Structures are given as structure tokens and as C-alpha cells.
């Protein structure tokens, strides 16, 4: 596991997390800005989730508030975790319909980008779509497969996750829209992903598994679903068979420059 400067906040005996006022201010800045940027860019299913969650603007929401909505829509919950968790814990949580949320928020210095997923990324980026049964089903299946997978298989599954749940785009009757939470929680990537700059490829799960990525740059390529239901259908296909095929075919050459060691 990598190191991080962040520490997740602990709840009191009632499960309430008392964030300092300055951290509520960071949430307010992020959500106010991002709700404007996603206008016309986020897919309808995500916007429906935003409407259901009714996220506060002036303060960081408590996980219990999110759980009420997720529980009533898809039976999912959010689970409080430390700033970084091992793959094993991640898959165990998803396999039991619990989405990990680290209860810390980025510092004002890292407002635009940080590598650790903070509470804004997890709640604003991922929780709206967890109210959607298709997306929820795919995420649950993914967790169960990941839990049973070997270390080598998990690397391929991680790329599938990256190219869908984190950085996926989709076509809709109203044009190409974003559903990936990694994009929707980043102002820069929300605009960039739909600009003419990056490459767009029709979604193919094996191709997604074969495509390398870097977590510290804007993505050079995005995969486009024909519709969100494609993820639900995929959940009922032989994903581990696809992993085996991807392993056999091997990785594509990266479309990004190698990371320069600091
Ligand atoms: Fe994420």
C-alpha cells in the first residue's frame, strides 16, 4: 500500500463524524463548482441519483444519510474505511454491497486533483449511480468476482473497473455523456473527457482490461458504452473468461508517456 498524508476521521459513539468547519468549506467549494460543470455532461441516471441523494451543499454529509437513500433504492450501503485500503478489503466490501468511503476530505492545496479517493470523490462521484439498479448490479458482481480472483486476475479486473466505474462514458439519445465517478468528481476531466482531445473507443470489456492506465494524469482514452444497461448485461456474462482472454492477448502499448520518477 502507498503512503498518504490523509487520515480518515473517526465517528463518535452515535456514529456522527464531527468535521472541522474548514473541511465543510472545502466540500461546499467542490460541490458548488462541480454541480455546474456536470450540467449537460453527466448522464441522466447519474442526475437522477443526485436528485435522490439530496446532498447538502454547506457541509460534508454523514454516511447514515447516504445509507438511507442507497438502502431504499438498491440495498447498497457506504462503509467507512481508512484513507487507503488493500484490494482484499475493497473486494470484500463490494461483494457485500458496501461501497468504501474514506472519511477525509482533500486539503485546499489539492482542491483540483489528488490521488487518494476522498469523501467528495466517493460520495459525489460514485453514490449517485449506486441508486441505479443496473450500475449497482454490475458493481456487486464485480466485487464478488474480484474476491474470488487471483492476484494476477485482479489486475485485469482493476482495469475494467477503471475504464467503466471510474472513467466510463456512454452514448444516450441526447449525445455522449459521462457516468464514471473519477470523471464526475473532477472539474478538469469532466470537460476534457468530452472534448475532442482524448480518444474515444466503443466499449469492449476485453479491450478495456488490456488498456494500461495511469492514475496521475488525464486519461488518453475513454471507452463508450452504448447505454448504461450494458453494464448490467456484462454482469451476467462470463467476465472471468474475458479476463483469461485478456491475459492471453496481453497488454496494449500505453498511450501515455512513462511516469518520470520524482
Ligand atoms: Fe473511485
Amino acid at each position: 500500500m502507498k503512503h498518504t498524508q490523509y487520515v480518515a476521521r473517526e465517528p463518535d459513539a452515535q456514529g456522527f463524524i464531527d468535521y472541522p468547519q474548514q473541511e465543510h468549506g472545502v466540500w461546499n467549494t467542490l460541490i458548488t463548482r462541480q454541480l455546474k460543470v456536470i450540467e449537460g455532461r453527466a448522464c441522466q441516471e447519474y442526475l437522477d441519483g443526485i436528485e435522490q441523494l439530496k446532498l447538502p451543499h454547506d457541509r460534508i454529509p454523514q454516511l447514515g444519510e447516504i445509507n438511507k437513500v442507497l438502502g431504499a433504492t438498491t440495498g447498497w450501503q457506504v462503509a467507512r474505511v481508512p484513507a487507503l485500503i488493500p484490494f482484499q478489503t475493497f473486494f470484500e466490501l463490494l461483494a457485500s454491497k458496501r461501497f468504501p468511503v474514506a472519511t477525509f476530505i482533500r486539503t485546499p492545496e489539492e482542491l483540483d486533483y489528488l490521488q487518494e479517493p476522498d469523501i467528495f470523490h466517493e460520495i459525489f462521484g460514485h453514490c449517485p449511480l449506486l441508486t441505479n439498479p443496473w450500475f449497482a448490479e454490475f458493481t456487486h458482481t464485480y466485487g464478488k468476482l474480484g474476491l474470488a480472483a487471483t492476484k494476477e486476475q485482479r489486475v485485469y479486473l482493476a482495469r475494467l473497473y477503471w475504464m467503466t466505474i471510474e472513467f466510463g462514458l456512454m452514448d444516450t439519445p441526447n449525445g455522449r455523456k459521462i457516468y464514471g465517478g473519477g470523471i464526475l468528481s473532477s472539474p478538469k476531466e469532466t470537460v476534457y473527457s468530452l472534448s475532442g482531445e482524448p480518444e474515444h473507443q466503443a466499449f469492449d470489456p476485453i479491450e478495456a482490461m488490456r488498456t494500461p492506465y495511469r492514475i496521475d494524469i488525464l486519461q488518453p482514452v475513454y471507452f463508450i458504452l452504448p447505454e448504461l444497461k450494458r453494464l448490467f448485461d456484462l454482469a451476467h456474462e462470463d467476465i472471468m473468461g474475458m479476463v483469461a482472454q485478456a491475459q492471453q492477448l496481453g497488454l496494449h502499448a500505453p498511450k501515455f508517456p512513462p511516469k518520470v520518477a520524482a
Side-chain angles (χ1 to χ4, degrees):
M1 269 201 304
K2 293 189 208 95
H3 286 286
T4 172
Q5 60 161 317
Y6 293 106
V7 179
R9 293 203 176 271
E10 304 270 342
D12 64 17
Q14 281 71 46
F16 181 85
I17 301 180
D18 189 13
Y19 298 94
Q21 196 48 47
Q22 177 263 338
E23 296 185 5
H24 290 306
V26 171
W27 173 274
N28 175 256
T29 303
L30 290 169
I31 194 167
T32 306
R33 177 173 73 172
Q34 199 58 11
L35 281 170
K36 281 200 195 84
V37 180
I38 64 167
E39 262 179 47
R41 295 187 170 101
C43 69
Q44 190 56 46
E45 291 87 345
Y46 173 89
L47 295 173
D48 292 345
I50 282 281
E51 194 167 317
Q52 302 209 59
L53 284 172
K54 294 189 174 48
L55 298 173
H57 290 199
D58 59 334
R59 61 177 175 84
I60 299 172
Q62 296 291 322
L63 300 190
E65 301 173 68
I66 307 296
N67 282 340
K68 273 188 202 141
V69 179
L70 294 185
T73 50
T74 58
W76 271 75
Q77 298 283 277
V78 283
R80 196 182 67 84
V81 296
L84 291 174
I85 55 170
F87 255 144
Q88 179 67 17
T89 311
F90 177 71
F91 287 123
E92 280 170 4
L93 287 168
L94 295 188
S96 57
K97 296 173 77 168
R98 285 177 296 163
F99 202 83
V101 173
T103 44
F104 74 92
I105 198 157
R106 65 197 73 183
T107 60
E109 291 73 35
E110 289 198 298
L111 208 55
D112 288 330
Y113 185 76
L114 77 168
Q115 292 192 23
E116 302 93 334
D118 71 346
I119 192 165
F120 181 75
H121 167 77
E122 304 294 16
I123 289 185
F124 187 87
H126 292 302
C127 287
L129 270 180
L130 283 172
T131 65
N132 177 277
W134 294 330
F135 184 86
E137 172 96 346
F138 174 69
T139 311
H140 187 206
T141 299
Y142 180 88
K144 287 186 284 186
L145 294 175
L147 194 54
T150 65
K151 204 177 153 201
E152 292 72 27
Q153 290 170 325
R154 283 178 176 180
V155 181
Y156 283 81
L157 286 174
R159 285 191 211 99
L160 178 63
Y161 189 92
W162 190 264
M163 301 303 173
T164 54
I165 291 173
E166 293 294 357
F167 290 94
L169 300 179
M170 61 187 249
D171 277 334
T172 80
N174 300 316
R176 195 154 285 176
K177 304 286 180 191
I178 306 165
Y179 73 92
I183 306 177
L184 288 167
S185 55
S186 155
K188 215 189 228 177
E189 196 137 10
T190 296
V191 174
Y192 162 86
S193 64
L194 291 175
S195 73
E197 215 179 318
E199 201 176 307
H200 285 182
Q201 281 186 28
F203 177 69
D204 175 312
I206 296 175
E207 286 302 295
M209 291 174 190
R210 298 178 63 201
T211 302
Y213 64 84
R214 263 175 66 177
I215 69 164
D216 59 332
I217 54 171
L218 295 168
Q219 304 303 304
V221 55
Y222 299 90
F223 285 91
I224 319 297
L225 292 183
E227 54 175 344
L228 195 61
K229 185 169 175 291
R230 177 73 185 91
L231 289 185
F232 175 81
D233 295 339
L234 178 61
H236 299 276
E237 292 168 14
D238 180 14
I239 295 179
M240 294 317 293
M242 297 174 195
V243 167
Q245 284 185 65
Q247 282 180 302
Q248 204 141 55
L249 292 164
L251 272 186
H252 286 298
K255 291 178 197 282
F256 48 77
K259 192 173 178 176
V260 180

